Amino acid sequence: MSQRYEPRNGFSRAIHHLEETLIALILGTMTVITFVNVVLRYVFNSSLIWGLETTLILFAWLVLLGMSYAVKVTAHLGVDAIINMLRPGPRKAMSLVAAGLCILYAVLLLKGAWDYWAPFAGFDQTSGRWFPTGFQDTRDRAFYETDQVPIAHWLAVWLGDRFNMGEAYDKLPRFIPYLILPIGVTLLLIRFVQAAIGVAVGKRSALIVSHEAEDQVADVAHINKGD
């Protein structure tokens, strides 16, 4: 029997719908920009010069938001041929070990995500090789801009006053698209912690969908056959 994520209260349901809506909007915006660019190129011999870069940025946001969302709804694929041969107790223990390793991975990834993004926003990177032990002086890279993505003048001035020593940006500053790195990895860490708690209390059996995906494909096949 496949598991399906169901929000248990109004707030969780609202957050769930917000995540789905945001992912859908990003995907829809990518599609529209790409379609418009194709029409402009082949019909009018023109193009949106910022279209490709914007699509790449949106794709990164889509992937990094989607990976945490997939953990929440148990949509990541995996191999469970061995753990399905175990009794419920050892199976639960292995799932908890896997969840713990995923949490450790997310913590390491979060440090890397912050250290990469922070200089572009004028913040300091963390010290320590594996785990943060404090902050260290880092060269300010807040003046870095995207290559082609435009920005509204009022926003360029406002952001320049706060991040670029009062100098307005000509293009979208890089720290804005790069912001998805710490946000996406933080969400991933939260989802792994929630998944571990869910396994521990018996609300979910694993972190992956694996064989449940096969069940869903089989259900669709039966529906198509009219069974």
Side-chain angles (χ1 to χ4, degrees):
M1 182 70 69
S2 61
Q3 297 174 329
R4 179 176 175 81
Y5 178 81
E6 294 292 344
R8 295 181 175 273
N9 55 60
F11 179 75
S12 296
R13 192 175 298 110
I15 296 297
H16 182 70
H17 291 325
L18 177 62
E19 287 179 315
E20 289 187 333
T21 300
L22 182 57
I23 291 173
L25 284 174
I26 292 175
L27 183 59
T29 303
M30 290 172 55
T31 303
V32 170
I33 292 175
T34 303
F35 174 76
V36 170
N37 242 350
V38 170
V39 172
L40 288 175
R41 181 178 298 114
Y42 289 100
V43 178
F44 300 98
N45 195 28
S46 181
S47 67
L48 298 175
I49 192 172
W50 47 266
L52 178 58
E53 188 176 12
T54 302
T55 301
L56 291 174
I57 292 171
L58 290 174
F59 182 73
W61 278 69
L62 181 67
V63 170
L64 291 171
L65 287 175
M67 69 179 184
S68 64
Y69 178 79
V71 172
K72 183 176 74 170
V73 300
T74 319
H76 282 290
L77 298 179
V79 178
D80 59 0
I82 295 178
I83 62 175
N84 284 339
M85 298 167 54
L86 302 177
R87 298 171 63 86
R91 185 187 308 167
K92 180 177 181 179
M94 290 191 67
S95 295
L96 289 173
V97 170
L101 292 174
C102 288
I103 291 173
L104 176 61
Y105 168 76
V107 169
L108 296 174
L109 195 62
L110 180 57
K111 172 178 165 53
W114 172 267
D115 288 346
Y116 185 86
W117 172 77
F120 292 99
F123 300 123
D124 290 333
Q125 296 174 327
T126 61
S127 56
R129 181 173 182 179
W130 298 101
F131 299 97
T133 57
F135 292 94
Q136 59 187 6
D137 291 336
T138 307
R139 184 173 71 88
D140 192 326
R141 301 177 189 170
F143 59 89
Y144 278 49
E145 301 173 340
T146 54
D147 293 332
Q148 302 293 343
V149 182
I151 183 174
H153 177 70
W154 66 269
L155 184 58
V157 173
W158 187 82
L159 291 175
D161 288 340
R162 285 154 181 79
F163 295 95
N164 198 28
M165 295 183 291
E167 184 176 348
Y169 289 100
D170 294 323
K171 302 293 182 182
L172 185 73
R174 290 195 182 188
F175 74 85
I176 293 180
Y178 291 173
L179 181 59
I180 190 56
L181 287 169
I183 290 178
V185 178
T186 298
L187 288 174
L188 182 66
L189 175 59
I190 293 173
R191 299 310 182 197
F192 278 141
V193 171
Q194 291 176 331
I197 295 174
V199 171
V201 301
K203 291 183 179 180
R204 61 188 293 172
S205 59
L207 278 68
I208 58 174
V209 67
S210 191
H211 65 284
E212 296 170 0
E214 299 175 1
D215 295 340
Q216 292 174 354
V217 172
D219 291 341
V220 173
H222 286 310
I223 292 174
N224 291 336
K225 292 180 179 178
D227 295 345

